[in-house]
Amino acid sequence: MLVRVDPASETPLFEQLAASIRQSVIDKSVTPGERLPSARELAGSLGVNMHTVLRAYQELRDEGFIELRRGRGAIVAATAHSYDSLTEGVAAIVAEARTQKISLAALTALIREEYQ
Amino acid sequence: MTLPAENVAPQLTRNRRLIIVIGVVIPLLITVVGAFVMALWIPELPNPVASHWGPSGVNGYSTVGGMIALPLMITLAFVAFSAIASWRGGPNGGMLWAHKVMVATSVFLAVSITVLAAGSLAIQRGLESAENAPDPIGVLLAALPIAALMGFLAWLMLPAAERIQPTAVQARPVAGSPTERVYFSTTTRLGPGVVLIAAVALVALGLALAIQAVSNPAELLLPAAVGIFVITLAVSTLSWRITIDHRGLRVRSALGWPRTTIAPDQISSVAVVSVDPLGEFGGYGWRWAPGGRSGIVLSKGEALEVTRMNGKKFIVTMHDAPLAAEALATVAKK
């Protein structure tokens, strides 16, 4: 599992963390049942506050990617969905947007509107 | 001008002849001759003969037939194993370092156990009973140097070892801003096949210790200590946790020991290589190979290779080596 954060970026750190770990679950570099590093360890490694890591973990729990268990830390959820077909669909949409020169902001706006 | 093609057998064919002659025929010949000589002594030997000595004299007996057959069986099993293991040769048709070790060990093993068995019987010739057979420590002290010399001679008769030049793919830091921080973690473990073989060996070791505990508890301490150390080491080798962050590369066995760290300022370069555990390292686990290479070698295939500032290389096999190499290259750059 590779986690990348950039403190100089405008995106909040907890969101960067959550995005990185989410990506690891989606591309299967962590597998269901696997234990994620403890918040303390990850915070120490990345030089961020432990509460930032916990907030990212809570967000991922709310999205169903991981389970938080007292005393056992964060575990990749066994019920995590298969993202294979979705990943393909998104790739197709992004490719289509690129050919039509539609910006990322416009594309996300389209997706948000459709989803709500 | 035409080359005398029939005189130049392919390297692999020549090597296989050497494996058969040096690694199979010579060891078997030595043990068969040894067995024959021992068989000639049977009329003069007590039955049973002494086969094991403790601090206070003989404490184990065996039939003469067993003493004669044991070197044959052990040698036969080992030469078959080493011949099969080295038969395929290296990727370029040469003989790998590990193959040379196995062939030379076949000779060493055959000489040492044959001399040991024959020597232990020789000192019992003419004895009425094996109870007072003298300690064969002199035989042991003689057998090992002779066997080592023969093994060394066998080594000299083998061709130079083929050096596997792994094609290292240099890793580049992750594309991103210079303020970016990375964390990488993964676990790497032994494949199920190797685990099965190790489990069988460990169960055999455990059984041997149990038998020793029942039959001769007085001499249990040293074998038990060695046995428990070996078992602990083997179990701790099964699974490793690898972590990469601003402190560098950390590798830690599932039991927490052994472990090691390579700090970023010790890293000269990072690459992904393809590793053949048996051919390059002669086995699995924490391994050392010629050419300043060492590391955690648990599976065939991709591995992270770290070149230190002093030129030595540290290798960890893992399924997501390219990602690890990228992360470590990012850390080492800063």
Coordinates of all heavy atoms in Angstrom, one line a residue, chain B residues 132-219:
Chain B
N132 N 32.3 -51.7 25.6 CA 33.5 -50.9 26.0 C 34.2 -50.4 24.7 O 35.4 -50.1 24.8 CB 34.4 -51.8 26.8 CG 33.8 -52.3 28.1 OD1 33.2 -51.4 28.8 ND2 33.9 -53.5 28.4
A133 N 33.4 -50.2 23.6 CA 34.0 -49.7 22.4 C 34.6 -48.3 22.7 O 34.0 -47.5 23.3 CB 33.0 -49.6 21.3
P134 N 35.9 -48.1 22.3 CA 36.4 -46.7 22.5 C 35.7 -45.6 21.7 O 35.1 -45.9 20.7 CB 37.9 -46.9 22.0 CG 37.9 -48.1 21.2 CD 36.8 -49.0 21.6
D135 N 35.8 -44.5 22.3 CA 35.2 -43.3 21.7 C 35.8 -43.0 20.3 O 37.0 -42.9 20.2 CB 35.4 -42.1 22.7 CG 34.5 -41.0 22.4 OD1 34.4 -40.6 21.3 OD2 33.9 -40.5 23.4
P136 N 35.0 -42.8 19.3 CA 35.6 -42.6 17.9 C 35.9 -41.1 17.6 O 35.8 -40.7 16.5 CB 34.6 -43.1 17.0 CG 33.3 -42.9 17.7 CD 33.6 -42.9 19.2
I137 N 36.2 -40.3 18.7 CA 36.4 -38.9 18.5 C 37.5 -38.6 17.5 O 37.5 -37.7 16.7 CB 36.6 -38.1 19.8 CG1 36.6 -36.6 19.6 CG2 37.9 -38.6 20.5 CD1 35.3 -36.0 19.4
G138 N 38.6 -39.5 17.6 CA 39.7 -39.3 16.6 C 39.2 -39.5 15.2 O 39.7 -38.8 14.3
V139 N 38.3 -40.5 15.0 CA 37.8 -40.8 13.7 C 37.1 -39.5 13.1 O 37.2 -39.1 12.0 CB 36.9 -42.0 13.7 CG1 36.2 -42.2 12.3 CG2 37.6 -43.2 14.1
L140 N 36.2 -39.0 14.0 CA 35.5 -37.8 13.7 C 36.4 -36.6 13.3 O 36.2 -36.0 12.3 CB 34.6 -37.4 14.9 CG 33.7 -36.2 14.6 CD1 32.6 -36.6 13.7 CD2 33.1 -35.7 15.9
L141 N 37.5 -36.4 14.1 CA 38.4 -35.3 13.8 C 39.2 -35.6 12.5 O 39.5 -34.6 11.8 CB 39.4 -35.2 15.0 CG 38.8 -34.6 16.3 CD1 39.8 -34.6 17.4 CD2 38.2 -33.3 16.0
A142 N 39.4 -36.9 12.1 CA 40.0 -37.2 10.9 C 39.1 -37.1 9.7 O 39.5 -36.6 8.6 CB 40.7 -38.6 11.0
A143 N 37.8 -37.5 9.9 CA 36.9 -37.6 8.8 C 36.6 -36.2 8.2 O 36.5 -36.1 7.0 CB 35.6 -38.3 9.3
L144 N 36.4 -35.3 9.1 CA 35.9 -34.0 8.6 C 36.9 -33.3 7.7 O 36.6 -32.8 6.6 CB 35.5 -33.1 9.8 CG 34.2 -33.6 10.5 CD1 33.8 -32.7 11.6 CD2 33.0 -33.7 9.5
P145 N 38.2 -33.2 8.1 CA 39.2 -32.5 7.2 C 39.3 -33.3 5.9 O 39.4 -32.7 4.8 CB 40.5 -32.5 8.0 CG 40.2 -32.9 9.3 CD 38.8 -33.5 9.4
I146 N 39.4 -34.6 6.0 CA 39.5 -35.4 4.7 C 38.3 -35.1 3.8 O 38.5 -34.8 2.6 CB 39.5 -36.9 5.0 CG1 40.8 -37.3 5.8 CG2 39.5 -37.7 3.8 CD1 40.9 -38.7 6.4
A147 N 37.1 -35.1 4.4 CA 35.9 -34.9 3.6 C 35.9 -33.5 3.0 O 35.5 -33.2 1.9 CB 34.6 -35.1 4.5
A148 N 36.3 -32.5 3.9 CA 36.3 -31.1 3.4 C 37.3 -31.0 2.2 O 37.0 -30.3 1.3 CB 36.7 -30.2 4.6
L149 N 38.5 -31.6 2.4 CA 39.5 -31.6 1.3 C 38.9 -32.2 0.0 O 39.0 -31.6 -1.1 CB 40.7 -32.3 1.7 CG 41.9 -32.3 0.7 CD1 42.4 -30.8 0.5 CD2 43.0 -33.2 1.0
M150 N 38.2 -33.3 0.1 CA 37.7 -34.0 -1.1 C 36.6 -33.1 -1.7 O 36.5 -32.9 -2.9 CB 37.1 -35.3 -0.7 CG 38.1 -36.3 -0.2 SD 39.1 -37.0 -1.5 CE 38.0 -38.2 -2.2
G151 N 35.8 -32.5 -0.8 CA 34.7 -31.6 -1.3 C 35.3 -30.4 -2.0 O 34.8 -30.0 -3.1
F152 N 36.4 -29.9 -1.5 CA 37.1 -28.7 -2.1 C 37.7 -29.1 -3.4 O 37.5 -28.4 -4.4 CB 38.2 -28.2 -1.1 CG 39.0 -27.1 -1.7 CD1 38.3 -25.8 -1.8 CD2 40.3 -27.2 -2.0 CE1 39.0 -24.8 -2.4 CE2 41.0 -26.1 -2.5 CZ 40.4 -24.9 -2.7
L153 N 38.3 -30.3 -3.5 CA 38.8 -30.8 -4.8 C 37.7 -30.9 -5.8 O 37.8 -30.6 -7.0 CB 39.5 -32.1 -4.6 CG 40.8 -32.1 -3.9 CD1 41.4 -33.5 -3.7 CD2 41.8 -31.2 -4.6
A154 N 36.5 -31.4 -5.4 CA 35.4 -31.6 -6.3 C 35.0 -30.2 -6.8 O 34.7 -30.0 -8.0 CB 34.2 -32.2 -5.5
W155 N 35.0 -29.2 -5.9 CA 34.6 -27.8 -6.2 C 35.5 -27.3 -7.3 O 35.1 -26.7 -8.3 CB 34.7 -27.0 -5.0 CG 34.5 -25.5 -5.3 CD1 35.4 -24.6 -5.6 CD2 33.2 -24.8 -5.2 NE1 34.8 -23.4 -5.8 CE2 33.5 -23.4 -5.5 CE3 31.9 -25.2 -4.8 CZ2 32.5 -22.5 -5.5 CZ3 31.0 -24.2 -4.8 CH2 31.3 -22.9 -5.2
L156 N 36.9 -27.6 -7.2 CA 37.9 -27.1 -8.2 C 37.6 -27.7 -9.5 O 38.0 -27.1 -10.6 CB 39.3 -27.4 -7.7 CG 39.8 -26.7 -6.4 CD1 41.2 -27.1 -6.1 CD2 39.6 -25.2 -6.6
M157 N 37.1 -29.0 -9.6 CA 36.9 -29.6 -10.9 C 35.6 -29.1 -11.6 O 35.4 -29.4 -12.8 CB 36.7 -31.1 -10.6 CG 38.1 -31.8 -10.2 SD 37.8 -33.4 -9.6 CE 37.6 -34.3 -11.2
L158 N 34.8 -28.3 -10.9 CA 33.6 -27.8 -11.5 C 33.9 -26.5 -12.2 O 34.9 -25.8 -11.9 CB 32.5 -27.6 -10.5 CG 32.1 -28.9 -9.8 CD1 31.1 -28.6 -8.6 CD2 31.4 -29.8 -10.7
P159 N 33.2 -26.2 -13.3 CA 33.4 -24.9 -14.0 C 33.1 -23.7 -13.1 O 32.5 -23.8 -12.1 CB 32.5 -25.0 -15.1 CG 31.4 -25.9 -14.7 CD 32.0 -26.9 -13.8
A160 N 33.6 -22.5 -13.5 CA 33.4 -21.3 -12.7 C 31.8 -21.1 -12.7 O 31.1 -21.4 -13.7 CB 34.0 -20.1 -13.4
A161 N 31.4 -20.6 -11.6 CA 29.9 -20.4 -11.4 C 29.4 -19.4 -12.4 O 30.1 -18.3 -12.6 CB 29.6 -20.1 -10.0
E162 N 28.3 -19.7 -13.0 CA 27.6 -18.7 -13.8 C 27.1 -17.5 -12.9 O 26.4 -17.8 -12.0 CB 26.5 -19.3 -14.6 CG 25.7 -18.3 -15.4 CD 24.5 -19.0 -16.2 OE1 24.7 -20.1 -16.6 OE2 23.5 -18.3 -16.3
R163 N 27.5 -16.3 -13.3 CA 27.0 -15.2 -12.5 C 25.6 -14.8 -13.1 O 25.6 -14.5 -14.3 CB 28.0 -14.0 -12.6 CG 29.2 -14.2 -11.7 CD 28.9 -14.0 -10.3 NE 28.5 -12.6 -10.1 CZ 29.3 -11.6 -9.8 NH1 30.6 -11.8 -9.8 NH2 28.9 -10.4 -9.6
I164 N 24.6 -14.8 -12.3 CA 23.4 -14.3 -12.8 C 23.4 -12.7 -12.7 O 23.7 -12.2 -11.7 CB 22.2 -14.8 -12.0 CG1 22.1 -16.3 -12.1 CG2 20.9 -14.1 -12.3 CD1 20.9 -16.9 -11.4
Q165 N 23.3 -12.1 -13.9 CA 23.3 -10.6 -13.9 C 21.8 -10.2 -13.9 O 21.3 -10.1 -15.0 CB 24.1 -10.1 -15.1 CG 25.6 -10.2 -14.9 CD 26.1 -9.4 -13.8 OE1 25.4 -8.6 -13.2 NE2 27.4 -9.6 -13.4
P166 N 21.2 -9.9 -12.8 CA 19.8 -9.6 -12.8 C 19.7 -8.2 -13.5 O 20.5 -7.3 -13.3 CB 19.4 -9.5 -11.4 CG 20.7 -9.6 -10.6 CD 21.9 -9.7 -11.5
T167 N 18.7 -8.2 -14.4 CA 18.5 -6.9 -15.1 C 17.7 -6.0 -14.1 O 16.5 -6.2 -13.9 CB 17.7 -7.1 -16.4 OG1 16.6 -8.0 -16.1 CG2 18.5 -7.7 -17.5
A168 N 18.4 -5.1 -13.6 CA 17.8 -4.2 -12.6 C 17.1 -3.0 -13.3 O 17.7 -2.4 -14.1 CB 18.9 -3.7 -11.6
V169 N 15.9 -2.8 -13.0 CA 15.2 -1.7 -13.5 C 15.2 -0.6 -12.5 O 14.6 -0.7 -11.4 CB 13.7 -2.1 -13.8 CG1 13.0 -0.9 -14.4 CG2 13.6 -3.3 -14.8
Q170 N 16.0 0.4 -12.8 CA 16.1 1.5 -11.8 C 14.8 2.2 -11.5 O 14.0 2.4 -12.4 CB 17.1 2.6 -12.3 CG 18.6 2.1 -12.4 CD 19.1 1.6 -11.0 OE1 18.8 2.2 -10.0 NE2 19.8 0.5 -11.0
A171 N 14.5 2.4 -10.2 CA 13.3 3.0 -9.9 C 13.4 4.5 -9.9 O 14.5 5.1 -9.5 CB 12.8 2.5 -8.5
R172 N 12.3 5.2 -10.2 CA 12.3 6.7 -10.2 C 11.4 7.1 -9.1 O 10.4 6.5 -8.8 CB 11.9 7.3 -11.5 CG 13.1 7.2 -12.5 CD 12.8 8.1 -13.7 NE 11.5 7.7 -14.3 CZ 11.4 7.7 -15.6 NH1 12.4 8.0 -16.4 NH2 10.2 7.3 -16.1
P173 N 11.6 8.3 -8.5 CA 10.7 8.8 -7.4 C 9.3 9.0 -8.0 O 9.2 9.2 -9.2 CB 11.4 10.1 -7.0 CG 12.8 10.0 -7.5 CD 12.8 9.2 -8.7
V174 N 8.3 8.9 -7.2 CA 7.0 9.2 -7.7 C 6.9 10.6 -8.2 O 7.5 11.5 -7.6 CB 5.9 9.0 -6.6 CG1 5.7 7.5 -6.2 CG2 6.2 9.8 -5.3
A175 N 6.2 10.7 -9.3 CA 6.0 12.1 -9.8 C 5.1 12.9 -8.9 O 4.1 12.4 -8.4 CB 5.3 12.0 -11.2
G176 N 5.6 14.0 -8.5 CA 4.8 14.8 -7.6 C 5.6 16.0 -7.1 O 6.7 16.2 -7.5
S177 N 5.0 16.8 -6.2 CA 5.7 18.0 -5.8 C 6.8 17.6 -4.8 O 6.7 16.5 -4.2 CB 4.7 18.9 -5.1 OG 4.5 18.5 -3.8
P178 N 7.8 18.4 -4.7 CA 9.0 18.0 -3.8 C 8.6 18.0 -2.3 O 9.3 17.4 -1.5 CB 10.0 19.1 -4.1 CG 9.3 20.2 -4.8 CD 8.1 19.6 -5.5
T179 N 7.4 18.6 -2.0 CA 7.0 18.6 -0.6 C 6.2 17.3 -0.2 O 5.8 17.1 0.9 CB 6.1 19.8 -0.3 OG1 5.1 19.8 -1.3 CG2 6.9 21.1 -0.3
E180 N 6.0 16.4 -1.2 CA 5.2 15.3 -1.0 C 5.9 14.3 -0.1 O 7.1 14.1 -0.1 CB 4.9 14.6 -2.4 CG 3.9 13.5 -2.3 CD 3.2 13.2 -3.6 OE1 3.5 13.9 -4.5 OE2 2.5 12.2 -3.6
R181 N 5.1 13.6 0.8 CA 5.6 12.6 1.7 C 5.0 11.3 1.3 O 3.8 11.2 1.0 CB 5.3 12.9 3.1 CG 5.9 14.2 3.6 CD 5.4 14.6 4.9 NE 5.8 16.0 5.2 CZ 5.3 16.7 6.3 NH1 4.4 16.1 7.1 NH2 5.8 17.9 6.5
V182 N 5.7 10.2 1.4 CA 5.2 8.9 1.1 C 5.3 7.9 2.3 O 6.2 8.0 3.1 CB 5.9 8.2 -0.1 CG1 5.6 9.1 -1.4 CG2 7.4 8.1 0.1
Y183 N 4.4 7.0 2.3 CA 4.4 5.9 3.2 C 4.1 4.6 2.4 O 3.1 4.6 1.7 CB 3.4 6.1 4.4 CG 3.2 4.9 5.2 CD1 3.9 4.7 6.4 CD2 2.2 3.9 4.9 CE1 3.7 3.5 7.2 CE2 2.0 2.8 5.7 CZ 2.8 2.6 6.8 OH 2.6 1.5 7.6
F184 N 4.8 3.6 2.6 CA 4.5 2.3 1.9 C 4.6 1.2 2.9 O 5.5 1.2 3.7 CB 5.5 2.1 0.8 CG 5.3 0.8 0.1 CD1 4.5 0.6 -1.0 CD2 6.1 -0.3 0.5 CE1 4.3 -0.6 -1.6 CE2 5.9 -1.6 -0.1 CZ 5.0 -1.7 -1.1
S185 N 3.7 0.3 2.8 CA 3.9 -0.9 3.7 C 3.3 -2.1 2.9 O 2.3 -2.0 2.2 CB 3.2 -0.7 5.0 OG 1.8 -1.0 4.9
T186 N 3.9 -3.3 3.2 CA 3.4 -4.5 2.6 C 3.9 -5.7 3.4 O 4.8 -5.5 4.3 CB 3.8 -4.6 1.1 OG1 3.1 -5.7 0.5 CG2 5.3 -5.0 1.0
T187 N 3.3 -6.8 3.3 CA 3.9 -8.0 3.9 C 4.3 -9.0 2.8 O 3.7 -9.0 1.7 CB 2.8 -8.7 4.8 OG1 1.6 -8.9 4.0 CG2 2.6 -8.0 6.0
T188 N 5.4 -9.7 3.1 CA 5.8 -10.7 2.1 C 6.0 -12.0 2.9 O 6.5 -12.0 4.0 CB 7.1 -10.3 1.4 OG1 7.5 -11.2 0.5 CG2 8.3 -10.0 2.4
R189 N 5.5 -13.1 2.3 CA 5.6 -14.4 3.0 C 6.1 -15.5 2.1 O 6.0 -15.4 0.9 CB 4.3 -14.7 3.7 CG 3.1 -14.4 2.9 CD 1.8 -14.9 3.7 NE 1.5 -14.0 4.8 CZ 0.7 -12.9 4.6 NH1 0.3 -12.6 3.4 NH2 0.4 -12.1 5.7
L190 N 6.5 -16.6 2.7 CA 6.9 -17.8 1.9 C 5.8 -18.4 1.2 O 4.7 -18.4 1.7 CB 7.5 -18.8 2.9 CG 9.0 -18.8 3.2 CD1 9.3 -19.8 4.3 CD2 9.8 -19.0 2.0
G191 N 6.1 -18.9 0.0 CA 5.0 -19.6 -0.7 C 4.6 -20.9 0.0 O 5.3 -21.5 0.8
P192 N 3.4 -21.4 -0.3 CA 2.8 -22.6 0.4 C 3.7 -23.8 0.2 O 3.8 -24.6 1.1 CB 1.4 -22.8 -0.2 CG 1.4 -21.9 -1.4 CD 2.4 -20.8 -1.3
G193 N 4.3 -24.0 -1.0 CA 5.1 -25.2 -1.2 C 6.3 -25.2 -0.3 O 6.6 -26.3 0.3
V194 N 7.0 -24.1 -0.2 CA 8.2 -24.1 0.7 C 7.8 -24.2 2.1 O 8.5 -24.9 2.9 CB 9.0 -22.7 0.5 CG1 10.2 -22.7 1.3 CG2 9.3 -22.5 -1.0
V195 N 6.7 -23.6 2.5 CA 6.2 -23.7 3.9 C 5.9 -25.2 4.2 O 6.3 -25.7 5.3 CB 4.9 -22.9 4.1 CG1 4.2 -23.2 5.4 CG2 5.2 -21.4 4.0
L196 N 5.4 -25.9 3.3 CA 5.1 -27.4 3.5 C 6.3 -28.1 3.8 O 6.4 -28.9 4.7 CB 4.3 -27.9 2.3 CG 3.7 -29.3 2.5 CD1 2.5 -29.2 3.4 CD2 3.3 -29.9 1.1
I197 N 7.4 -27.9 2.9 CA 8.6 -28.6 3.1 C 9.2 -28.3 4.5 O 9.7 -29.1 5.2 CB 9.6 -28.3 2.0 CG1 9.1 -28.8 0.6 CG2 11.0 -28.8 2.2 CD1 9.8 -28.3 -0.6
A198 N 9.2 -27.0 4.8 CA 9.8 -26.5 6.1 C 9.0 -27.1 7.2 O 9.6 -27.6 8.2 CB 9.7 -25.0 6.2
A199 N 7.7 -27.2 7.1 CA 6.9 -27.8 8.2 C 7.2 -29.3 8.4 O 7.4 -29.7 9.5 CB 5.4 -27.7 7.8
V200 N 7.4 -30.0 7.3 CA 7.8 -31.4 7.4 C 9.1 -31.5 8.1 O 9.3 -32.3 9.0 CB 7.9 -32.1 6.0 CG1 8.5 -33.5 6.1 CG2 6.5 -32.2 5.4
A201 N 10.1 -30.7 7.7 CA 11.4 -30.7 8.3 C 11.3 -30.4 9.8 O 12.0 -31.0 10.7 CB 12.4 -29.8 7.6
L202 N 10.5 -29.4 10.2 CA 10.4 -29.0 11.6 C 9.7 -30.0 12.4 O 10.1 -30.3 13.5 CB 9.6 -27.6 11.7 CG 10.4 -26.4 11.1 CD1 9.6 -25.2 11.3 CD2 11.7 -26.3 11.9
V203 N 8.7 -30.7 11.8 CA 8.0 -31.8 12.5 C 9.0 -32.9 12.8 O 9.1 -33.5 13.9 CB 6.8 -32.3 11.8 CG1 6.3 -33.6 12.3 CG2 5.7 -31.3 11.8
A204 N 9.9 -33.2 11.8 CA 10.9 -34.3 12.0 C 11.8 -33.9 13.1 O 12.2 -34.7 14.0 CB 11.6 -34.5 10.7
L205 N 12.2 -32.6 13.1 CA 13.1 -32.1 14.1 C 12.5 -32.2 15.5 O 13.1 -32.7 16.5 CB 13.5 -30.6 13.8 CG 14.4 -30.0 14.8 CD1 15.8 -30.7 14.8 CD2 14.7 -28.5 14.4
G206 N 11.2 -31.8 15.6 CA 10.5 -31.9 16.8 C 10.4 -33.4 17.3 O 10.6 -33.6 18.5
L207 N 10.1 -34.3 16.4 CA 10.0 -35.7 16.7 C 11.4 -36.2 17.3 O 11.4 -36.9 18.3 CB 9.6 -36.5 15.5 CG 8.1 -36.7 15.3 CD1 7.9 -37.5 14.0 CD2 7.5 -37.4 16.4
A208 N 12.4 -35.8 16.6 CA 13.8 -36.2 17.0 C 14.1 -35.8 18.4 O 14.6 -36.5 19.2 CB 14.8 -35.7 16.0
L209 N 13.6 -34.5 18.7 CA 13.8 -34.0 20.1 C 13.0 -34.8 21.1 O 13.5 -35.1 22.2 CB 13.5 -32.5 20.1 CG 14.5 -31.5 19.5 CD1 13.9 -30.1 19.5 CD2 15.8 -31.6 20.2
A210 N 11.8 -35.1 20.7 CA 10.9 -35.8 21.6 C 11.5 -37.2 21.9 O 11.5 -37.6 23.0 CB 9.5 -36.0 21.0
I211 N 12.0 -37.9 20.8 CA 12.6 -39.2 21.1 C 13.8 -39.1 22.0 O 14.0 -39.9 22.9 CB 13.0 -39.8 19.7 CG1 11.7 -40.2 18.9 CG2 13.9 -41.1 19.9 CD1 12.0 -40.5 17.5
Q212 N 14.6 -38.0 21.7 CA 15.8 -37.8 22.6 C 15.3 -37.6 24.0 O 15.9 -38.1 25.0 CB 16.6 -36.6 22.1 CG 17.7 -36.2 22.9 CD 19.0 -37.0 22.6 OE1 19.0 -37.9 21.8 NE2 20.1 -36.6 23.2
A213 N 14.2 -36.8 24.2 CA 13.7 -36.5 25.5 C 13.3 -37.8 26.3 O 13.6 -37.9 27.5 CB 12.6 -35.5 25.5
V214 N 12.8 -38.7 25.5 CA 12.3 -40.0 26.2 C 13.5 -40.9 26.4 O 13.6 -41.5 27.5 CB 11.2 -40.7 25.3 CG1 10.9 -42.0 25.8 CG2 10.0 -39.8 25.2
S215 N 14.4 -41.1 25.4 CA 15.4 -42.1 25.5 C 16.6 -41.6 26.3 O 17.3 -42.4 26.9 CB 15.8 -42.5 24.1 OG 16.5 -41.5 23.4
N216 N 16.9 -40.4 26.2 CA 18.2 -39.9 26.8 C 18.1 -38.5 27.3 O 18.7 -37.6 26.8 CB 19.3 -40.0 25.8 CG 20.7 -39.9 26.4 OD1 20.8 -39.7 27.6 ND2 21.7 -40.0 25.6
P217 N 17.2 -38.3 28.4 CA 16.9 -36.9 28.8 C 18.2 -36.2 29.3 O 18.3 -35.0 29.3 CB 15.9 -37.1 29.9 CG 15.8 -38.6 30.2 CD 16.5 -39.3 29.1
A218 N 19.2 -37.0 29.7 CA 20.4 -36.3 30.3 C 21.1 -35.5 29.2 O 21.7 -34.4 29.6 CB 21.4 -37.4 30.8
E219 N 21.0 -35.9 28.0 CA 21.7 -35.1 26.9 C 20.8 -34.3 26.1 O 21.0 -34.0 25.0 CB 22.5 -36.1 26.0 CG 23.7 -36.6 26.6 CD 24.4 -37.6 25.7 OE1 24.6 -37.2 24.5 OE2 24.8 -38.7 26.1

